Amino acid sequence: MTRTGASAWAGGVCYVLMVALLVGAAPRASGAVHGVGALLAVSLLAGVVRRRPHLALGMALFGAAAVVVGPPGSGEQSGTASYQGQFLSCLAVDLVVGFLVATCARRAWITAVAVSGAVQLLLIGGFAHGDDVAVNGLVAVLAMAASCMAGLLSRERREHATALRTQEVAEAVTAERLRIARELHDMVAHSIGVIAIQAGVGSRVIETQPAEAREALRAIETTSRETLSGLRRTLVSLRRAGSATSSAEQSSLVPSPGLADVEQLTAAIVGAGVRVDVCRSGERRPVPADIELSAYRIVQEALTNVVRHAGAGHCRVVVDYGDEALSVEVVDDGRGASAHGVPHGFGIIGMRERVGLLGGELSTGPRPGGGFRVAARLPLPVPAGVRGEAR
């Protein structure tokens, strides 16, 4: 038996001894004293209530009956309990009933309420003063109803909290799945687009320009290896997500790309036949990791669309470190909206989700002079010192 179980049963034994003392050692005490003693003694059943609620109710009913009836041959006071003693003794039982209503199954607590109500009404009917039977019975019924209502409210509150926790877990799982889907889409779609372009170039020049074909094959090999390595790191991260891996170890397993990697990203695009200019403005400084990763992924997805759909020959990437926001813009001279508006694509949807999660703004659409433009504005957090001065 565990320590908790031993203490629970010790409390039950102490309750029985306390009732015996109230009835046997203080037979001439008033009914109110007996009722207060029974109400205080029921606290000793707290451990039994948690482990065996029906047994605790039976013990509470036995104690209330013993206190109300009193020891035989002890006179009028012990044979007829006062109104206060009856009420307090029944209130002790009602506390246990309320716990059963809050924690037990419907059939179990309905049975407990019926048995407890019947026993209380029998005690009141048999031992109350003549004119007080109706009043005492009504008070007992109201007290029982109040305890049942409190138990039901406690049950509904607990079930509501459980439902909220379940909903939060489901939403967290959905958000994590969407995040993983965005990461995989950005990683795989970009790489496959570059590989497809390079494969097409290699197949066309393999006989006439072997050197160009070898360069295309090297680009395919490099891109595929990088993608495979990224996928492997992502899968390792997912496998260890449920273990006690520290956040530092997690971050070392899956290094997040950032704006410093934009040049490396555009190098693959140049190899696919699209000239890319990268322009940076503003004071380059560290920004939060989630904002930098989102900006990188937006640029990556926009360049992927340029390679796969736009048929562009020139593209410009602008990164602006503003005072209040980080802005990125990708414009090309391709076929415009018809190229980027793929009906079943998830690229622009993923960009909107990333920007929306950070409270930013995304603008996509054709350019007046031809081509397509993707622009995102990601708000930057206000430094603590600046926030304090603003106040």
Side-chain angles (χ1 to χ4, degrees):
M1 181 182 297
T2 63
R3 182 177 300 179
T4 304
S7 62
W9 294 119
V13 173
C14 291
Y15 174 79
V16 175
L17 294 177
M18 182 64 70
V19 172
L21 288 175
L22 286 173
V23 176
R28 297 187 180 279
S30 65
V33 172
H34 286 172
V36 171
L39 184 60
L40 295 177
V42 79
S43 62
L44 298 172
L45 294 177
V48 183
V49 167
R50 292 189 180 92
R51 300 176 67 88
R52 298 287 183 85
H54 292 89
L55 176 61
L57 178 61
M59 296 176 67
L61 288 172
F62 169 77
V67 170
V68 171
V69 174
S74 58
E76 180 182 355
Q77 179 62 37
S78 62
T80 304
S82 66
Y83 166 73
Q84 294 87 353
Q86 289 177 1
F87 176 74
L88 294 175
S89 300
C90 293
L91 183 59
V93 176
D94 293 340
L95 294 177
V96 180
V97 171
F99 183 85
L100 267 71
V101 172
T103 58
C104 295
R106 178 183 295 272
R107 180 178 299 179
W109 69 257
I110 289 177
T111 303
V113 170
V115 172
S116 177
V119 172
Q120 292 186 37
L121 292 178
L122 287 175
L123 290 175
I124 292 172
F127 297 95
H129 294 293
D131 295 337
D132 295 337
V133 174
V135 175
N136 292 356
L138 178 61
V139 172
V141 171
L142 292 176
M144 176 71 69
S147 67
C148 293
M149 183 62 65
L152 288 174
L153 290 176
S154 177
R155 172 188 289 272
E156 290 181 359
R157 182 177 180 180
R158 188 178 64 256
E159 292 176 349
H160 180 64
T162 302
L164 286 180
R165 286 195 298 270
T166 303
Q167 182 179 359
E168 289 175 358
V169 171
E171 290 177 352
V173 170
T174 302
E176 183 66 12
R177 287 178 176 175
L178 289 175
R179 185 190 69 81
I180 294 171
R182 286 195 300 266
E183 291 294 323
L184 292 178
H185 174 272
D186 294 343
M187 182 187 307
V188 175
H190 172 75
S191 302
I192 294 300
V194 172
I195 289 173
I197 295 296
Q198 294 287 0
V201 172
S203 65
R204 286 194 298 269
V205 301
I206 190 170
E207 295 182 356
T208 58
Q209 302 178 23
E212 293 293 333
R214 282 195 296 270
E215 288 297 326
L217 291 176
R218 290 194 190 97
I220 291 174
E221 180 183 9
T222 302
T223 305
S224 60
R225 288 184 182 276
E226 291 177 353
T227 304
L228 183 60
S229 178
L231 289 175
R232 185 180 294 111
R233 289 194 301 269
T234 302
L235 293 176
V236 170
S237 172
L238 293 176
R239 286 179 179 273
R240 298 191 181 186
S243 62
T245 307
S246 65
S247 57
E249 185 178 350
Q250 290 272 358
S251 61
S252 65
L253 287 174
V254 188
S256 299
L259 294 175
D261 303 313
V262 170
E263 282 76 7
Q264 181 180 355
L265 181 65
T266 58
I269 305 299
V270 173
V274 180
R275 183 167 58 88
V276 182
D277 296 330
V278 179
C279 303
R280 299 178 185 267
S281 61
E283 180 185 357
R284 297 184 60 175
R285 60 189 185 276
V287 298
D290 55 342
I291 296 179
E292 185 168 7
L293 175 61
S294 296
Y296 174 86
R297 292 303 189 193
I298 291 170
V299 173
Q300 183 184 46
E301 178 60 30
L303 292 177
T304 300
N305 289 338
V306 170
V307 172
R308 297 179 62 185
H309 307 299
H314 177 260
C315 178
R316 185 176 76 253
V317 178
V318 179
V319 180
D320 177 36
Y321 291 85
D323 295 334
E324 299 180 354
L326 175 68
S327 301
V328 293
E329 182 185 51
V330 179
V331 294
D332 64 70
D333 58 359
R335 292 189 295 269
S338 60
H340 292 261
V342 183
H344 303 290
F346 298 98
I348 294 181
I349 295 176
M351 285 190 261
R352 292 194 184 280
E353 289 178 352
R354 288 184 183 278
V355 174
L357 289 175
L358 297 174
E361 301 174 356
L362 178 71
S363 173
T364 61
R367 299 170 59 197
F372 199 82
R373 175 178 178 269
V374 174
R377 183 181 184 275
L378 306 176
L380 294 175
V382 180
V386 177
R387 189 184 299 115
E389 294 175 0
R391 291 181 181 177

